[in-house]
Amino acid sequence: MFNHTSMADIMQTTRLLFRSCLLSLLAMAVAPVWAAGQAMTPPMGWSTWYGVRCNYDAGVLHTMADRLRDSGLAKLGYNYLNVDDCWATGRDADGRLVADPKRFPGGMSAVAEQVHARGLKFGIYSSAGTTGCQRDLQQSGQRLPIGSRGYERLDALHFAAMGADLLKLDWCGHYPTQDSRSSFETMRDALAATGRPIMLSICEWGTGKPWLWGKGVGQMWRIAMDTINCWSCTTDWGGIGIVQTFDRLAEVAKYGGPGGWNDPDNLMVGNGVLSLDEERAQMSVYAMAAAPLIIAADLRTIRPESLAILMQREVIGINQDPLGKPGFRVRSDDGDELWVRTLHDGRLAVLMFNRSASARKLRVHWSELALPSTTLIGGKEIWSGELIKPVADGLTRMVQPHGVALFLLTVPQDSKTVRPPI
Ligand code: GLA
């Protein structure tokens, strides 16, 4: 009956079931408490989704966990290893999701154990509908049966028993009339009742405006349909390119903050399509907008230059700034964009982004940062390492097509810091 499940899993589930009975009466009252103190800065990690898609097994995941640890990514904060779609083949006689026995002979708890042994956290995937989104290309062509609708309590206990620290809950297989907010709240309450702190990553593609209700339900929420690995594009099913995700981020940036973040989908840095300038642009906008940094590249084959972009400490520092106040887009004018973010120590992160296809001279005037033009401001351009002596008026730089200049600027203490016009 439990042939694909370890004995440890079963005992742990039984223990958790008992604990869950005691906790369930309290669940409604304490639901938001389980998440307290989690995701005070945007979550960081690696996901199977995009780079390896469904082509992974326990061995591949162990290798990725090794790469996260040995490359230094984990030390920089990329500490979640998230298993996305394709891991389960169905449910057993007791209704529990069964990991593909060929690819995961020890079940997912064995994978989670290995991930934890490397000092990382383990993320798992399901859907708030009745299926995942990937189709079973080898067999029926139907979507894989990884959906928690009606199984929320059981699945939450199972995920807790396997040692999950994060659940990404997708939206495939939902009923046409199904309400997304209450569906995700049901899983939030089921996770809370397990007593294990498991972050909830809401993936309903922005259809129900989760930026308005996501805080207190999950720790991150997708703001759009999937990001496609192209600079600028749209698909008939709603997939969008990199610059289109920037526009979505600009619209909703202000709703993110400690405990709940706008998720524009995984980073495409290192996935072999974007130029290095475009990869630096994606990383920079994600830093300015305080987006979760979830790597989607195959860490076995990623080029060193892309890895270096993902590992740029000061850019990560902006993303993870403890104030947790997302930046905003000051202007977007014929391919010339300016973003600004206030940091906890009063410094400003300022991003010039050349969205156009030719090199351009871009400028920021201090008045655009709500500062007197006489203010003397200096600092650093991060990607080049250029140090900037304090100057009045503003800065001008040549910026490559689809490229950025990202400044960390020190504003004299007697000047007022920027006031977002949003
Ligand atoms: C949906 C999600 C993606 C990914 C795939 C997996 O498209 O939006 O992020 O999880 O499903 O099938």
Side-chain angles (χ1 to χ4, degrees):
M1 184 155 63
F2 287 107
N3 46 341
H4 306 313
T5 313
S6 73
M7 203 54 208
D9 251 15
I10 298 164
M11 288 177 64
Q12 177 73 348
T13 303
T14 313
R15 271 199 299 275
L16 283 163
L17 261 169
F18 179 68
R19 182 142 54 120
S20 158
C21 291
L22 295 176
L23 287 171
S24 58
L25 287 175
L26 292 169
M28 291 308 288
V30 303
V33 175
W34 67 270
Q38 288 209 74
M40 298 311 280
T41 58
M44 295 172 67
W46 176 86
S47 167
T48 51
W49 195 254
Y50 215 87
V52 301
R53 287 189 170 247
C54 300
N55 303 314
Y56 65 94
D57 58 14
V60 170
L61 296 179
H62 296 164
T63 304
M64 295 303 177
D66 285 342
R67 292 288 295 144
L68 278 170
R69 182 192 56 192
D70 301 340
S71 61
L73 281 164
K75 274 217 177 72
L76 289 168
Y78 292 97
N79 59 359
Y80 280 86
L81 184 147
N82 295 341
V83 169
D84 206 279
D85 207 345
C86 309
W87 65 273
T89 50
R91 292 187 181 269
D92 65 16
D94 289 335
R96 290 159 41 116
L97 285 165
V98 178
D100 181 344
K102 290 198 201 83
R103 291 153 60 222
F104 307 103
M108 292 318 274
S109 56
V111 175
E113 204 174 294
Q114 291 296 320
V115 168
H116 289 149
R118 288 157 174 84
L120 302 167
K121 296 186 172 185
F122 179 68
I124 193 74
Y125 168 97
S126 186
S127 172
T130 52
T131 67
C133 295
Q134 180 64 30
R135 292 185 189 278
D136 181 351
L137 300 177
Q138 256 97 60
Q139 294 179 19
S140 60
Q142 300 297 308
R143 294 191 196 279
L144 294 171
I146 312 178
S148 293
R149 175 73 174 176
Y151 290 90
E152 288 88 351
R153 291 287 302 280
L154 183 68
D155 285 355
L157 287 166
H158 186 191
F159 299 145
M162 73 171 62
D165 305 296
L166 176 148
L167 170 66
K168 172 173 167 179
L169 203 58
D170 214 331
W171 194 222
C172 277
H174 66 269
Y175 301 111
T177 52
Q178 196 176 328
D179 172 57
S180 68
R181 178 178 181 162
S182 57
S183 302
F184 285 85
E185 284 173 346
T186 301
M187 182 54 94
R188 185 250 345 246
D189 293 343
L191 292 173
T194 70
R196 183 180 173 88
I198 302 177
M199 288 215 299
L200 182 59
S201 166
I202 300 169
C203 180
E204 55 85 90
W205 318 317
T207 52
K209 297 196 167 83
W211 46 89
L212 298 179
W213 49 263
K215 238 182 229 180
V217 180
Q219 285 70 33
M220 52 197 271
W221 50 82
R222 281 272 294 278
I223 57 169
M225 200 34 103
D226 297 22
T227 302
I228 301 301
N229 193 11
C230 74
W231 179 247
S232 177
C233 60
T234 51
T235 70
D236 52 3
W237 50 270
I240 54 176
I242 309 296
V243 291
Q244 284 78 27
T245 63
F246 295 170
D247 293 336
R248 290 292 177 89
L249 270 175
E251 282 165 29
V252 299
K254 65 179 175 183
Y255 297 103
W261 305 96
N262 289 300
D263 175 13
D265 205 355
N266 299 342
L267 288 158
M268 289 296 154
V269 176
N271 270 331
V273 166
L274 303 182
S275 70
L276 290 175
D277 277 316
E278 291 167 344
E279 292 189 343
R280 281 189 279 267
Q282 191 184 38
M283 190 71 184
S284 301
V285 172
Y286 276 41
M288 296 301 285
L293 298 178
I294 308 294
I295 301 169
D298 187 336
L299 297 176
R300 297 165 300 185
T301 53
I302 188 170
R303 60 180 167 170
E305 298 89 335
S306 298
L307 191 59
I309 289 171
L310 292 167
M311 295 181 73
Q312 217 301 337
R313 281 172 187 275
E314 286 162 306
V315 182
I316 294 172
I318 295 172
N319 178 270
Q320 296 287 303
D321 184 74
L323 183 61
K325 190 173 168 52
F328 61 97
R329 188 160 70 182
V330 178
R331 64 171 149 78
S332 174
D333 183 14
D334 186 28
D336 165 2
E337 290 195 7
L338 181 70
W339 293 65
V340 62
R341 180 170 179 184
T342 307
L343 306 178
H344 75 287
D345 56 6
R347 284 186 303 170
L348 295 179
V350 172
L351 180 72
M352 291 175 179
F353 170 36
N354 177 8
R355 202 164 161 148
S356 78
S358 48
R360 286 171 71 167
K361 194 178 267 188
L362 302 187
R363 91 178 310 264
V364 50
H365 195 277
W366 298 155
S367 62
E368 293 180 286
L369 309 180
L371 293 165
S373 59
T374 50
T375 317
L376 294 175
I377 299 177
K380 180 177 188 182
E381 198 289 315
I382 293 178
W383 293 111
S384 64
E386 176 202 354
L387 295 176
I388 298 159
K389 291 204 179 107
V391 286
D393 292 333
L395 289 172
T396 304
R397 286 292 179 283
M398 275 305 286
V399 183
Q400 294 306 306
H402 301 175
V404 289
L406 178 56
F407 303 95
L408 265 177
L409 299 178
T410 303
V411 181
Q413 285 190 349
D414 56 350
S415 307
K416 288 197 184 95
T417 51
V418 66
R419 294 280 173 271
I422 51 176

